[in-house]
Amino acid sequence: MEELIRKETISEELGVSLATVNNWIKTRVIPSPDFQNCYSKIVFEQIIGAIKNSQKRLNSRANRNLLEKKTLCYSGITNKERKKLLSNLVKDFETSNFSVNEGLLALSLAILRSNKLIDAQCHANGKSKLDVMLSDWLLQTKNQDAVKSLFEKYEIQNFDDDILGAFYQSIQSISQKSFSGTYYTPSKLLTDIKIPLEKTVLDPCCGSGGILLNILSKDHDPSKIFARDIDDAALKICFINLVLFFNDKNIAPNISKHDITLSSLETHNCNQFDYIVTNPPWGSKFTILQKEALIKLYPELSTSEIFSIALYNAHKMLKENGQIYFFLPYSFLNVAAHKNIRQYIFKDNNKVFINLLGNSFKGVLSEGILLHLIKSSSNQDILIKNKNGNIYNLPLQNINPPDYIISATGKRQDALILDKIYSTEHTTLFDAAFALGIVTGNNKKYLLKEKTKISKPIFRGKDIEKYVLSKPIYYLDFKPELFQQTAPEEYYRQEKIVYRFISGKLICALDKDGNLLLNSANLFISNNYPMETIVSFFNSDIYTFIFKKKFHSRKVLKSHLKSLPLPILSNETHQYIKKLYYETFSEKTGEISLYQNKIDKIICSAFLIDDEEYSYIKGNI
């Protein structure tokens, strides 16, 4: 019988989601499975080849992990001559036809030789841990003499700047770094982390050891240093970097291949370390089966996100009163998908500090934070430090179920106003019905610039202004069976609130005309709060302030909207707002200031916001 290959294997082979594969099938980019969701081997190989050869798809932002472009990664190297040296090393490697592993070996030998940690002939025949590693590494290549001579013309001084790690990053493709989620941690972010000499320290996602080089003292006991990773080459670099750091080939730090996502299965890791410092991968790509396995392994987290799992396991490996330093994306603080790890942190006595880092990681769009946690310390208020170095307290009572959102706004006054707003009696959009805009899969094919007898207007996110929809530019013949994603048609056809999905603030309108929406616009229908009031409130400066300071997001998510506070108002007040909406509001955009001022007064009164606080809000959005 001919070998059959599961449809899921396409997503695993190409590093895309199963939803993307299903969309390709639906829009006829690839054929449907041959038999029971499986393909014959011949058809499978044809699909993989066709997608990989399609430069338009490979170069799209959504498929960035398939790119093979390489770029120099200086990894904190600032010296001009040192940068030139790295560039020359990479050029020599690229003309050598050596593998990445052989290139790393060649540079490792050159650096160790230059610093007299091995002899001039690059012999590694001693009994030290370094000699044993180098001997084994040399045995893995058939080109030993050529490898030894690749960089023999260079004398490479040790500046403790991880030039070996920078070389490794530079000769990897963007796809490899994107797939693993690994990017360099700038040394300036590590200056405040100090490890006492007598304490054990672990970096469970050590990479080339750049973090350890910046937080250790040369007086530290190497036997108290632990470094782990799943990348064999990175572990070798980390060990060599530590040898260079201590200038001692006989050191024996504890370096091992280890997967942080499996740490909870190994009981010997419990309560072992005084300090755990790392920058875990953000958004590493897992196969569908791997994701399912991780969710089963960690039901208490209900996520396959590696940084949540890494933090959970690190906490279990920490001694009482031990300390964790984790670099994390800002989304850790407020995205609902991470609510379980936030709840876990706060259910035990942990002292928590959060340092807001902004866009500190090159090549990463997400803003970052440094989470500093002291285990089993007194459960005090969270300390927030903004980019300017200012510190304020965030009361623990502000971290509430169900999502345990941490509103790390950067300013104490922001936190005080948010606390006042959320302390006021309110409801939420808990029972609202939400739906997404349409994903056609081929806008050029399906979006029409001229209206036909059967087509209907369709609105993009940018077509939504405060309170109104712009004049339609596109029309669509609604045939959901042809599209990648649609909500049931009745969601579009009824009265609804439509809003921009990609936006740093709330921009919404009440649609009574049953219009269609493209995927940059979403919708919801409220059942427990008048929609005229919601639109009037959400378009206000006050709700812009709430959204910006609480969620700090460029996307308006359903979880954000469902957690926004809606003050308890009398029926008379709702009717007054509705009257303002229909009588005062002009359909011409830009003529709503008088109307909005009256609405703002109602919001301020409901949330007990005084004139000084209102002025502050308007000046800080």
Side-chain angles (χ1 to χ4, degrees):
M1 183 176 178
E2 184 180 5
E3 179 183 356
L4 295 177
I5 300 174
R6 296 180 304 112
K7 176 179 66 175
E8 289 81 0
T9 309
I10 295 176
S11 67
E12 296 169 8
E13 179 74 17
L14 296 174
V16 298
S17 68
L18 182 59
T20 296
V21 175
N22 288 332
N23 287 335
W24 286 347
I25 294 170
K26 191 173 183 180
T27 55
R28 300 180 177 87
V29 173
I30 63 175
S32 299
D34 300 319
F35 178 73
Q36 292 185 349
N37 265 347
C38 292
Y39 290 93
S40 67
K41 185 175 181 181
I42 293 175
V43 173
F44 173 80
E45 290 175 348
Q46 289 173 342
I47 290 171
I48 298 301
I51 295 297
K52 284 188 174 180
N53 289 330
S54 174
Q55 291 302 311
K56 184 175 180 180
R57 292 187 182 276
L58 293 182
N59 290 326
S60 71
R61 187 171 181 178
N63 290 302
R64 185 174 186 267
N65 57 299
L66 297 178
L67 293 173
E68 291 299 328
K69 180 182 177 183
K70 297 181 178 69
T71 183
L72 279 177
C73 177
Y74 292 113
S75 300
I77 298 173
T78 57
N79 180 277
K80 184 178 179 180
E81 290 302 315
R82 200 74 164 171
K83 287 184 176 181
K84 184 178 179 181
L85 170 62
L86 176 63
S87 177
N88 289 334
L89 292 169
V90 171
K91 287 178 183 177
D92 286 357
F93 165 77
E94 289 180 338
T95 58
S96 70
N97 293 320
F98 284 149
S99 67
V100 170
N101 185 60
E102 290 169 330
L104 283 175
L105 174 56
L107 185 55
S108 298
L109 293 172
I111 293 174
L112 291 167
R113 170 187 53 77
S114 298
N115 291 278
K116 297 180 171 52
L117 288 161
I118 57 175
D119 64 31
Q121 288 72 43
C122 295
H123 291 149
N125 48 17
K127 295 182 179 180
S128 72
K129 188 173 181 180
L130 175 66
D131 288 317
V132 172
M133 185 196 77
L134 293 176
S135 296
D136 290 343
W137 201 352
L138 280 163
L139 289 174
Q140 295 171 17
T141 178
K142 297 178 181 179
N143 306 305
Q144 291 187 21
D145 291 337
V147 165
K148 288 179 180 180
S149 64
L150 178 58
F151 298 121
E152 65 181 359
K153 67 182 179 182
Y154 295 98
E155 288 294 323
I156 307 170
Q157 290 181 276
N158 176 32
F159 289 176
D160 291 331
D161 59 0
D162 191 16
I163 192 169
L164 190 53
F167 176 81
Y168 184 40
Q169 288 272 349
S170 297
I171 63 177
Q172 291 186 97
S173 65
I174 290 177
S175 68
Q176 289 169 303
K177 287 183 279 188
S178 175
F179 193 82
S180 64
T182 56
Y183 289 93
Y184 169 72
T185 306
S187 58
K188 65 181 180 181
L189 303 181
L190 301 162
T191 54
D192 293 334
I193 303 176
K194 305 298 181 185
I195 310 299
L197 297 181
E198 72 280 5
K199 300 297 185 180
T200 55
V201 58
L202 164 71
D203 184 344
C205 309
C206 66
S208 60
I211 287 179
L212 292 171
L213 296 180
N214 283 279
I215 66 174
L216 293 172
S217 162
K218 293 184 185 290
D219 295 323
H220 211 101
D221 181 353
S223 68
K224 295 183 179 295
I225 300 168
F226 294 78
R228 297 173 178 172
D229 207 287
I230 59 173
D231 185 338
D232 290 308
L235 289 170
K236 291 173 182 173
I237 297 171
C238 180
F239 177 49
I240 292 169
N241 274 334
L242 289 173
V243 167
L244 292 164
F245 181 79
F246 289 103
N247 194 31
D248 184 354
K249 66 181 294 183
N250 296 304
I251 64 168
N254 305 277
I255 297 180
S256 59
K257 187 173 183 178
H258 191 92
D259 188 345
I260 186 63
T261 64
L262 302 177
S263 292
S264 68
L265 302 180
E266 302 185 19
T267 56
H268 72 270
N269 284 323
C270 294
N271 303 319
Q272 185 178 357
F273 302 104
D274 296 303
Y275 285 79
I276 301 178
V277 185
T278 199
N279 185 355
W282 301 0
S284 295
K285 310 300 188 297
F286 290 118
T287 66
I288 294 168
L289 294 178
Q290 286 173 324
K291 289 180 179 180
E292 291 175 350
L294 286 172
I295 290 173
K296 288 180 180 178
L297 190 59
Y298 298 101
E300 60 272 61
L301 297 181
S302 189
T303 182
S304 61
E305 176 54 65
I306 191 169
F307 68 73
S308 290
I309 295 171
L311 180 57
Y312 176 78
N313 286 333
H315 190 267
K316 290 185 175 297
M317 292 189 284
L318 201 63
K319 291 180 179 178
E320 296 300 301
N321 296 309
Q323 302 190 35
I324 280 175
Y325 290 88
F326 258 57
F327 291 95
L328 298 168
Y330 191 98
S331 59
F332 168 80
L333 301 176
N334 54 32
V335 171
H338 310 314
K339 65 182 180 181
N340 287 2
I341 185 61
R342 291 195 294 266
Q343 180 185 13
Y344 173 78
I345 286 173
F346 292 112
K347 76 176 182 181
D348 293 325
N349 288 330
N350 296 300
K351 190 170 183 178
V352 176
F353 307 82
I354 294 171
N355 194 347
L356 305 178
L357 304 176
N359 296 108
S360 298
F361 296 93
K362 185 178 180 181
V364 180
L365 295 177
S366 306
E367 292 191 14
I369 67 166
L370 174 59
L371 176 72
H372 177 200
L373 180 150
I374 303 177
K375 186 177 183 179
S376 299
S377 181
S378 56
N379 203 3
Q380 303 172 13
D381 292 349
I382 300 170
L383 291 179
I384 309 292
K385 182 178 180 181
N386 65 20
K387 289 182 287 186
N388 297 323
N390 299 319
I391 298 175
Y392 70 93
N393 288 29
L394 179 65
L396 276 180
Q397 59 263 33
N398 288 20
I399 315 299
N400 298 311
D403 291 336
Y404 298 92
I405 289 171
I406 303 171
S407 302
T409 65
K411 294 182 181 179
R412 177 172 176 77
Q413 182 67 4
D414 298 344
L416 291 173
I417 293 175
L418 284 179
D419 186 35
K420 175 181 281 192
I421 289 172
Y422 275 87
S423 297
T424 305
E425 185 181 4
H426 63 270
T427 185
T428 62
L429 292 171
F430 65 93
D431 68 344
F434 285 79
L436 304 175
I438 297 165
V439 179
T440 68
N442 190 337
N443 286 346
K444 288 185 178 180
K445 178 179 179 180
Y446 293 113
L447 296 187
L448 309 173
K449 291 189 176 181
E450 300 293 335
K451 182 175 173 56
T452 67
K453 290 183 179 180
I454 59 173
S455 66
K456 300 293 183 182
I458 185 166
F459 293 88
R460 306 162 298 173
K462 65 175 66 176
D463 299 325
I464 302 173
E465 303 291 343
K466 287 188 175 183
Y467 298 98
V468 296
L469 295 172
S470 302
K471 183 178 179 181
I473 296 176
Y474 294 108
Y475 301 86
L476 181 74
D477 180 8
F478 187 71
K479 296 180 179 179
E481 68 277 6
L482 299 178
F483 307 141
Q484 289 185 2
Q485 169 191 288
T486 70
E489 186 173 1
E490 59 265 25
Y491 279 93
Y492 302 121
R493 298 310 185 192
Q494 63 184 297
E495 181 176 325
K496 59 189 179 290
I497 295 175
V498 298
Y499 62 94
R500 289 187 188 180
F501 170 56
I502 306 297
S503 177
K505 60 182 178 180
L506 303 178
I507 299 177
C508 61
L510 182 60
D511 174 31
K512 291 177 171 288
D513 299 325
N515 291 304
L516 300 174
L517 302 175
L518 207 57
N519 60 306
S520 55
N522 293 332
L523 69 90
F524 66 90
I525 298 108
S526 171
N527 297 309
N528 73 319
Y529 210 85
M531 288 198 281
E532 290 88 354
T533 303
I534 294 172
V535 170
S536 302
F537 282 11
F538 282 8
N539 282 317
S540 71
D541 287 344
I542 299 168
Y543 275 81
T544 292
F545 176 86
I546 297 171
F547 180 82
K548 282 179 173 289
K549 302 303 182 180
K550 190 169 184 66
F551 304 115
H552 198 75
S553 175
R554 292 294 301 170
K555 294 181 181 179
V556 180
L557 304 179
K558 177 173 72 173
S559 60
H560 295 158
L561 296 177
K562 292 190 78 167
S563 66
L564 287 172
L566 297 169
I568 305 300
L569 303 175
S570 66
N571 289 333
E572 291 79 10
T573 302
H574 282 299
Q575 289 300 316
Y576 175 60
I577 294 171
K578 188 173 185 179
K579 179 181 177 183
L580 287 173
Y581 182 90
Y582 287 110
E583 293 184 2
T584 309
F585 171 62
S586 168
E587 291 188 359
K588 295 180 180 180
T589 60
E591 299 181 11
I592 57 175
S593 58
L594 177 62
Y595 158 77
Q596 193 63 65
N597 285 338
K598 294 180 179 180
I599 294 298
D600 284 2
K601 289 182 179 179
I602 295 173
I603 301 172
C604 287
S605 176
F607 288 135
L608 307 178
I609 297 171
D610 60 34
D611 291 343
E612 183 178 345
E613 290 167 330
Y614 180 55
S615 295
Y616 177 85
I617 287 171
K618 292 181 73 66
N620 284 272
I621 54 174

